[in-house]
Amino acid sequence: MSTALAPLDTARIRAEFPLLATPFHERKLVYLDSAVSGQMPSPVIERMAHYERFEHTNVHRGVSTLSQEATDRFEEAREKVRAFINAPSTKEIIWTRGTTEALNLVAQSWGRTNIQAGDELLLSAMEHHANIVPWQMLAAEKGATIKVIPMNDEGELLLDGLDELITGRTKVLGLTHVSNALGTINPVKAIVAKAKARGVVTVIDGAQAVPHLPVDVRDLDCDFYAFSGHKLSGPTGIGVLYGRKELLEAMPPWHGGGNMILSVSWEKTTYMGLPGKFEAGTPPIAAAIGLGAAIDYLAALGLERIAAHDAALLAYATEQLSAIPGLRIIGTAKAKASVLSFVLDGVHSHDVGSILDHEGIVVRAGHHCAQPVMARMKVPATTRASFTYFNDAADVDALVAALLKVKEIFG
Ligand code: 7TS
């Protein structure tokens, strides 16, 4: 493996992940499942523990010094997220529970206000269920229809027909930046430009993109961008919706309660401005601060360096796995991020996953919450290895050795 940038010191990085140093089935743990959930490095865990031990209270509540300090830490994390994706303003950064909740917020708040019977919602063929089901629920409620941008056998979107797919009735485009099941990196900027030229609102699912690629929402020029903390070396329970200010301002709140109001009376209730309008109730404060710490951690490693490392490791893994007889990689797009899905002739993915697990190798086997992708690729399921900045060539070699064992067992 070689990278143009100074390579990451994976041994030093791994030392910051207690779980990776803990024996697993009496073996070294090889974690190739960061697309399911990234592991958290010690500085992130410690930052959250520090908040819980010494800073814990509620935010945006009253004048107590503790509450003001917790609010400052919480809002600093929002600023870190803003800078991380180069959003113009922290008013455009809404905390959610994750990508799923962020996408539901758009479908419920923007969608229910703007979608009418006969409208068309355009989605790509490689969406995660989180960017399908909320739109199906909306379409069913409103009498709208869903159209799909198809893909080829390699797992690349077929964009030649995009101009015809977008009609005068198309209101919204839902598009994943990186496919969780195939690894494809979609040309989001070009697709957004086309959609925008036709007045279509663009909703980008960035869950699998932010851990691997530097993301700039101003450059992408999308209207919404969603991602989860736990795939970005942060905790579960926190996610982000970036939304263009004009759109967010025009959208109604979707959850009501404390924190999101200016005043409440029996006669009339008025709402906070952005971002509070979309953040009813007590937020996951430690998780938000933890996500801020995760962003600091990644920035210190260097986002470009991480991207180069991940790309080199994926190339090595692709070459090594391709050499295994009877193994077929599902998702062979030219532009890919750190996901390697495959099927092994005559062996069910769940059996592959279980045997790898016994060998100390964690992968995901199944449909990856992308059943339409499995149907398109004509496979019931795949085994998926996903790589990140703490993985190295030895992890890939361990995977290959274990896969050869699987083949031996199944003859
Ligand atoms: N979008 C994409 C592209 C994803 O990969 C996932 C989670 C989600 C949305 C939902 O994120 P959540 O944090 O709200 O649950 N993907 C996976 C996966 O690939 N395996 O397990 C979860």
Side-chain angles (χ1 to χ4, degrees), residues 35-36 98-100 128 130 176 180 205 207-208 228 230-231 364 384:
V36 157
T99 309
T100 303
H128 183 282
T176 194
N180 69 314
D205 174 350
Q208 298 291 348
S228 300
H230 70 103
K231 297 189 200 284
R364 182 171 174 188
R384 181 188 68 183

Side-chain angles (χ1 to χ4, degrees), residues 100-151:
T100 303
E101 191 175 78
L103 296 169
N104 275 278
L105 193 169
V106 180
Q108 289 297 307
S109 172
W110 179 86
R112 292 177 88 188
T113 317
N114 290 283
I115 300 298
Q116 292 162 8
D119 284 346
E120 292 169 5
L121 323 179
L122 187 57
L123 303 175
S124 95
M126 64 180 83
E127 297 310 307
H128 183 282
H129 296 166
N131 209 16
I132 299 175
V133 184
W135 300 113
Q136 289 178 325
M137 290 160 61
L138 178 70
E141 179 185 321
K142 296 289 185 178
T145 53
I146 291 179
K147 284 184 158 182
V148 179
I149 306 174
M151 64 177 163

Side-chain angles (χ1 to χ4, degrees), residues 41-100:
S42 290
V44 174
I45 298 168
E46 277 155 22
R47 182 63 192 89
M48 291 170 70
H50 180 85
Y51 170 79
E52 298 296 20
R53 288 205 182 96
F54 303 111
E55 301 173 323
H56 181 106
T57 178
N58 214 324
V59 292
H60 303 134
R61 302 291 197 286
V63 295
S64 79
T65 305
L66 255 189
S67 179
Q68 281 175 16
E69 283 175 358
T71 303
D72 288 349
R73 301 294 88 77
F74 180 70
E75 292 302 329
E76 279 161 22
R78 196 190 305 270
E79 164 56 23
K80 287 175 188 183
V81 169
R82 184 208 65 73
F84 179 66
I85 57 170
N86 195 30
S89 163
T90 49
K91 290 188 191 312
E92 298 172 307
I93 304 297
I94 315 292
W95 295 122
T96 65
R97 279 194 299 135
T99 309
T100 303

Side-chain angles (χ1 to χ4, degrees), residues 7 16 40 42 57 93 114 119 181 189 210 239 314 316 345 376:
E16 295 192 293
M40 282 193 285
S42 290
T57 178
I93 304 297
N114 290 283
D119 284 346
K189 187 175 172 176
V210 285
L314 179 69
Y316 178 68
D345 263 357
R376 168 63 185 82

Side-chain angles (χ1 to χ4, degrees), residues 246-312:
E246 309 83 82
L247 290 173
L248 290 175
E249 273 172 347
M251 283 158 54
W254 75 314
H255 291 161
N259 204 37
M260 50 77 76
I261 52 87
L262 279 178
S263 72
V264 176
S265 72
W266 296 120
E267 293 72 35
K268 184 173 169 60
T269 288
T270 56
Y271 305 124
M272 290 272 285
L274 297 174
K277 181 170 82 170
F278 293 108
E279 295 180 358
T282 299
I285 303 162
I289 293 170
L291 177 54
I295 287 172
D296 286 346
Y297 184 84
L298 297 175
L301 291 181
L303 297 175
E304 301 282 353
R305 232 148 44 113
I306 291 173
H309 170 87
D310 291 354

